Amino acid sequence: MKLRASNKNKLSNKLLGFLPILKSSFEEIDEMVKNVEKENPFINVRYKKFITFSNYVQNSSTDTIENNLLNNKSLYEDLKNQILISHFFPTTKSKEIAIQLLEDITNEGYFEGDEKLIAIEMNVDINKVEKIRERFSYLEPVGVGAKDMKEAFLFQLDNLEIDETLYLFTKEIIENFEYIENYQKEPLFKEALHLIQQFNIVPAAKYMNNEFIVPDIIILNKDGNLDIKLNEEYYPEISIKEAKNADKFAKEKLKEAKTLIEALELRKSTLYKIALMIVELQYNFFLGGVVKPMRMQDVADELGYATSTVSRAISNKYILCDKGLIPIKQFFSKAIDENTSSREIKNYIKTLIKNENKESPLNDEKITAKVNEKFGTKIVRRTVSKYREELNISTSRQRKREYKLQN
C-alpha cells in the first residue's frame, strides 16, 4: 500500500473558517453543526444510529474497555497518592517537585513540561528535577512520566527481571528504534522483540476511558489484511433545502451550508489519508510488531499539507484496533513537529504580543490557550514561558509597566 500526493492539497479560503472542524471531536462537531442549524433555515441535519465498540473489537478487547469505564480514579489522583507514600520521594522537597512534574503529565501519561522552569520555580538545580522525574519509572502505570515513546519503553524495560545480556540488547534496540531492521540477524532479536511487543505505547491507557471516547479511525485485521474504516456513523448527514427566493440572505446561507458540508468531507478525507500513511509505515505494528517512530513533517510533506494542518487533524483523534484505543499522535515521535515548535509557534507568539492590548497584556496562560487553538496542540504553559524567554520577551506584568513608561 503506497500513497503519494501528486498535487498540493491547499485549503480554499472559504474553508478556512471551518478549520476548527478538522481538529474537533465528534461531540464538538455536533455542537458546532447544531449552532449553524439554528441560524440557517436551509439545512437539515440527521444523525445515524450510535454505535458501540463491540461492532469493531473482539469480546476480550471490549471487556477491557468496558472495565476501564468503571475505573473512576484519575491518573493524577493515583500518581499523587503514590508520590506521597513512596520511599522514592523521601523528603518534603522531593514530593513537592514530583507533584510539580505531575502537573505537566498528559492524559496519555507523557511528560510535556519544562524541567528548567520547574527548577527555577522550586529553587533547585535542574539535575535534581531530572532525577526526580526519572523516579517516575517506579510508579504505576509503568512508563508514566517519560518524555517520549523510547523512554516509556525503557521505563517498562527497567521493571522487568530478565537476564542482563538480554536487558542490554533490548535497551540498545529501543534506543536505536529507527534502525531495528539492522538487529534482525542477532541471536537475541526474537526474544527482545517479544519483550518490546508487550510494552504499552500509551502508558496511561487504562485511565483514558473514564469517559466514552469515540474512535475516528477503525483498523480491522482480517487474517493479516488490514482494513481501514472511517467512523462515519458519528458524522452528521446534512442536506440542503431548496430556496424559494434567491435573495442575498438565501445566497449567503446556502453558501454557508455547502461550505459546512465541504469542511466535513475535508475532515474525512484528511483523516483517511493520514490513516493510510500510518498503516503503511506501521503495518507490522498492527500485525503484532513494534511501533516505528514517525515524524509529523514527513506525513505533511507526503500529503502536501502544512505541518499545522496535520497537527490539527490528529489532535484528540483515536484509532481503534486489535491493540486497543490509541491516540493518533502517539504514532509520532513528538506531539508537535520540531519545525513547528521552534519556528511557527515562536513567530505566532511574537505576533500575539505585538498586537496585544497594551492595557491588558496577554499572560502565558492566555498565550498557551491561543497557541493550542491555532496549532491544534496540547503544549503546556511552561513550554510557552520557555519560548517567550528565548525570544527575550518579558512577562505580562513587566510589559504592562514598559507600556506605561512609553506613554
Side-chain angles (χ1 to χ4, degrees):
M1 185 187 301
K2 199 70 178 170
L3 179 67
R4 284 288 181 268
S6 56
N7 299 315
K8 291 287 184 181
N9 298 294
K10 295 181 179 179
L11 301 176
S12 62
N13 289 332
K14 65 180 180 179
L15 289 180
L16 291 177
F18 282 97
L19 269 178
I21 285 179
L22 186 60
K23 79 181 193 70
S24 297
S25 65
F26 284 116
E27 185 178 357
E28 291 167 335
I29 287 176
D30 175 55
E31 183 179 352
M32 201 179 301
V33 170
K34 285 178 179 176
N35 287 336
V36 173
E37 185 182 19
K38 288 177 184 178
E39 305 294 331
N40 194 324
F42 298 104
I43 67 172
N44 279 325
V45 180
R46 187 179 74 86
Y47 288 89
K48 298 178 183 178
K49 183 180 179 181
F50 278 176
I51 53 176
T52 63
F53 285 106
S54 58
N55 294 102
Y56 303 108
V57 294
Q58 298 174 352
N59 291 334
S60 59
S61 299
T62 306
D63 291 342
T64 301
I65 292 173
E66 290 176 350
N67 289 337
N68 288 336
L69 290 172
L70 301 176
N71 177 19
N72 293 320
K73 204 171 189 180
S74 73
L75 173 66
Y76 183 90
E77 291 171 343
D78 204 347
L79 290 174
K80 185 176 181 180
N81 289 338
Q82 292 181 64
I83 289 168
L84 293 176
I85 64 174
S86 174
H87 65 275
F88 293 109
F89 310 97
T91 65
T92 301
K93 193 70 172 180
S94 64
K95 286 180 170 60
E96 290 175 351
I97 294 171
I99 291 173
Q100 283 291 316
L101 290 163
L102 180 56
E103 291 182 1
D104 288 332
I105 289 181
T106 66
N107 292 335
E108 291 83 19
Y110 285 96
F111 176 76
E112 289 189 356
D114 188 316
E115 291 162 316
K116 180 180 177 181
L117 290 176
I118 294 176
I120 293 172
E121 287 184 16
M122 300 301 296
N123 195 27
V124 296
D125 187 270
I126 188 173
N127 291 329
K128 184 174 181 65
V129 176
E130 290 171 347
K131 288 179 180 178
I132 289 177
R133 185 188 64 80
E134 289 170 359
R135 294 178 199 171
F136 274 63
S137 64
Y138 300 106
L139 302 179
E140 294 285 345
V142 181
V144 74
K147 289 184 176 181
D148 52 33
M149 182 191 69
K150 285 185 180 182
E151 190 176 33
F153 280 11
L154 290 174
F155 280 8
Q156 294 172 70
L157 177 65
D158 286 342
N159 278 267
L160 298 180
E161 294 184 3
I162 57 175
D163 176 76
E164 185 177 1
T165 303
L166 176 59
Y167 167 83
L168 293 173
F169 179 68
T170 307
K171 181 180 180 181
E172 183 179 347
I173 289 180
I174 293 172
E175 291 173 341
N176 297 279
F177 246 153
E178 296 86 348
Y179 312 103
I180 191 170
E181 293 84 359
N182 296 342
Y183 295 90
Q184 291 181 355
K185 295 182 180 180
E186 297 292 335
L188 292 174
F189 179 75
K190 288 186 177 179
E191 198 171 348
L193 187 63
H194 178 72
L195 290 177
I196 295 171
Q197 287 173 345
Q198 314 305 312
F199 295 159
N200 197 337
I201 66 171
V202 186
K206 71 176 184 179
Y207 294 87
M208 293 176 59
N209 296 300
N210 291 341
E211 297 181 2
F212 188 80
I213 296 175
V214 180
D216 291 85
I217 305 292
I218 299 99
I219 297 179
L220 301 175
N221 183 352
K222 297 180 178 179
D223 299 323
N225 295 314
L226 299 180
D227 186 16
I228 303 172
K229 291 184 178 294
L230 286 175
N231 193 354
E232 297 200 54
E233 297 284 346
Y234 278 90
Y235 281 92
E237 286 187 348
I238 299 175
S239 58
I240 301 177
K241 301 177 185 177
E242 185 178 347
K244 295 180 180 179
N245 299 316
D247 56 15
K248 183 179 179 181
F249 173 80
K251 288 180 179 179
E252 288 179 353
K253 290 303 178 182
L254 287 171
K255 182 179 179 181
E256 179 187 53
K258 291 177 182 178
T259 303
L260 176 59
I261 293 172
E262 288 178 17
L264 288 169
E265 290 303 315
L266 170 68
R267 184 186 194 273
K268 292 180 186 178
S269 63
T270 302
L271 281 174
Y272 189 76
K273 289 172 184 176
I274 292 173
L276 280 174
M277 284 204 67
I278 289 175
V279 169
E280 178 184 336
L281 296 172
Q282 306 289 354
Y283 197 85
N284 290 332
F285 168 77
F286 291 110
L287 296 181
V290 296
V291 67
K292 293 182 179 180
M294 295 171 59
R295 289 199 329 132
M296 197 180 299
Q297 183 66 52
D298 294 336
V299 174
D301 291 343
E302 186 77 9
L303 298 179
Y305 287 140
T307 309
S308 57
T309 301
V310 176
S311 178
R312 284 188 182 95
I314 67 173
S315 176
N316 299 315
K317 308 297 191 306
Y318 294 82
I319 284 178
L320 186 66
C321 62
D322 286 348
K323 293 195 174 185
L325 196 64
I326 302 175
I328 294 179
K329 74 175 185 179
Q330 290 305 329
F331 288 102
F332 297 89
S333 56
K334 290 189 176 181
I336 51 177
D337 177 79
E338 291 176 0
N339 293 330
T340 301
S341 63
S342 63
R343 184 179 67 252
E344 295 183 54
I345 292 182
K346 285 183 180 180
N347 286 338
Y348 182 60
I349 291 173
K350 285 195 293 185
T351 301
L352 284 175
I353 293 176
K354 180 181 178 180
N355 299 315
E356 70 183 351
N357 184 334
K358 302 297 188 290
E359 294 182 359
S360 181
L362 297 168
N363 59 28
D364 289 349
E365 186 175 351
K366 291 180 180 178
I367 294 174
T368 301
K370 288 181 178 293
V371 167
N372 286 333
E373 173 67 22
K374 170 75 173 177
F375 294 98
T377 58
K378 281 188 175 181
I379 65 172
V380 295
R381 179 185 57 78
R382 287 195 178 95
T383 303
V384 166
S385 300
K386 180 185 74 172
Y387 291 158
R388 177 178 53 74
E389 290 177 353
E390 289 175 354
L391 292 168
N392 293 319
I393 297 173
S394 54
T395 65
S396 58
R397 288 184 180 180
Q398 290 172 326
R399 296 199 306 277
K400 187 173 184 179
R401 295 192 192 102
E402 291 168 2
Y403 293 144
K404 287 183 177 179
L405 292 173
Q406 292 172 5
N407 293 333

